[in-house]
Amino acid sequence: MINEILFYQYQRFQEFKMNRLFDGRLAFMFHQIEENTEKWYDERYAITFSGFRRFIERLQRAGYEIVSPCDLLKTDGRKKAVMTFDDAFEGVYFEVYPFLREKKIPFAVFPAVNMLQKDGYINKEMLKEMLNEYDGCHVGAHSLSHCNLRQLSKEQSRKEIVESGEILESIVGKPIEIFAYPYGSPDAVGKRERKAAGEKYRIAFGTLQAGMTPKTDLTYIPRININEKNHDCALSGNVL
């Protein structure tokens, strides 16, 4: 319990420091996109499609350009945002993908390898279709088994990070350059995980409620979790 409290305080402190130096670059994290709330697996990580659509509209009205993940590397003073989807729920394929493709909005999806054939999630064929038919779709790795990497041995943790990207490359036939840590808060991602991700990927995403700064570690880019409860206030100062 004491360790949990300390980690929570450390995380809040890190978010406070980052937000003071925020330079206009944001990454947002979504999980389940499902209009029927009775199908939600966890309301903390779920949003209706109508709520998601409203969030995109508000983001654009606020002057943000929605860009591809690696465009966050450019510190040019512009207001930029990236849309990312962890775990690859099937709603990304059926609801999000057609909408973002029509609007010409780029996005990134991060499937864990062991979820690709599970009911309720995107399968390999869906993943390849999105990637091959829309240049704005970017696929990133999300580990082999969606585990807490810090609870594993060094060798197991590195395998989860590196081999997941290699397997996805064999599936889609294209390089995988981005990674998202499962359970990506500071207590689940240590220096060894960042080092392993840096060996394989251009950038890797964590889960801090903060924007980017000129000093952001590209092996641990913060992302703001968006759900049905916070999507209306995520740009009004209640999150940033």
Side-chain angles (χ1 to χ4, degrees):
M1 177 65 71
I2 293 176
N3 283 341
E4 291 179 3
I5 294 173
L6 290 175
F7 269 120
Y8 177 81
Q9 291 176 337
Y10 173 74
Q11 182 170 330
R12 296 285 84 81
F13 177 67
Q14 291 297 315
E15 291 169 351
F16 174 76
K17 286 201 309 181
M18 289 179 181
N19 287 329
R20 285 187 64 189
L21 299 173
F22 174 54
D23 65 10
R25 295 176 293 162
L26 292 170
F28 293 103
M29 174 179 65
F30 300 86
H31 288 78
Q32 188 177 20
I33 313 291
E34 173 58 58
E35 202 70 27
N36 184 353
T37 60
E38 293 182 357
K39 294 183 179 181
W40 286 359
Y41 84 106
D42 188 331
E43 65 177 9
R44 296 172 300 172
Y45 305 106
I47 186 172
T48 60
F49 176 68
S50 55
F52 170 76
R53 188 174 54 207
R54 289 197 304 272
F55 176 77
I56 293 293
E57 292 168 352
R58 292 184 68 246
L59 185 67
Q60 292 178 322
R61 286 199 302 270
Y64 282 89
E65 177 188 2
I66 303 176
V67 300
S68 63
C70 288
D71 283 335
L72 285 181
L73 299 176
K74 304 171 185 175
T75 54
D76 50 18
R78 291 154 52 205
K79 295 169 69 175
K80 294 184 287 190
V82 165
M83 303 293 108
T84 69
F85 301 86
D86 283 11
D87 305 342
F89 285 90
E90 63 182 5
V92 173
Y93 176 80
F94 290 112
E95 300 282 2
V96 174
Y97 166 57
F99 170 73
L100 295 183
R101 183 179 180 182
E102 178 186 356
K103 300 295 184 181
K104 296 181 172 56
I105 295 173
F107 68 97
V109 58
F110 294 95
V113 172
N114 72 333
M115 293 180 177
L116 282 173
Q117 298 304 133
K118 286 186 176 182
D119 289 342
Y121 296 86
I122 288 173
N123 60 36
K124 297 176 183 179
E125 290 69 32
M126 293 173 179
L127 194 66
K128 289 189 287 187
E129 177 187 331
M130 290 192 301
L131 189 60
N132 291 329
E133 295 190 1
Y134 179 45
D135 290 340
C137 175
H138 303 268
V139 173
H142 196 42
S143 79
L144 297 171
S145 60
H146 201 284
C147 55
N148 187 319
L149 299 170
R150 205 166 187 176
Q151 295 178 354
L152 305 178
S153 69
K154 179 180 179 181
E155 293 74 19
Q156 290 174 322
S157 178
R158 187 179 185 280
K159 180 178 180 180
E160 288 276 342
I161 293 169
V162 175
E163 289 192 12
S164 58
E166 294 172 346
I167 291 173
L168 286 176
E169 287 173 342
S170 69
I171 292 172
V172 302
K174 294 183 180 182
I176 301 297
E177 299 184 319
I178 54 179
F179 183 81
Y181 303 99
Y183 311 105
S185 59
D187 62 331
V189 181
K191 290 182 179 179
R192 68 177 191 179
E193 284 73 36
R194 297 187 188 194
K195 183 175 184 295
E199 293 172 3
K200 169 67 178 170
Y201 307 100
R202 292 185 67 187
I203 56 176
F205 292 93
T207 57
L208 284 175
Q209 298 289 100
M212 290 182 67
T213 79
K215 296 182 179 180
T216 293
D217 180 355
L218 296 182
T219 65
Y220 192 77
I221 295 174
R223 286 185 299 169
I224 298 170
N225 178 54
I226 301 296
N227 57 38
E228 189 70 13
K229 288 187 175 180
N230 75 357
H231 72 82
D232 280 333
C233 64
L235 297 175
S236 64
N238 293 341
V239 171
L240 277 178

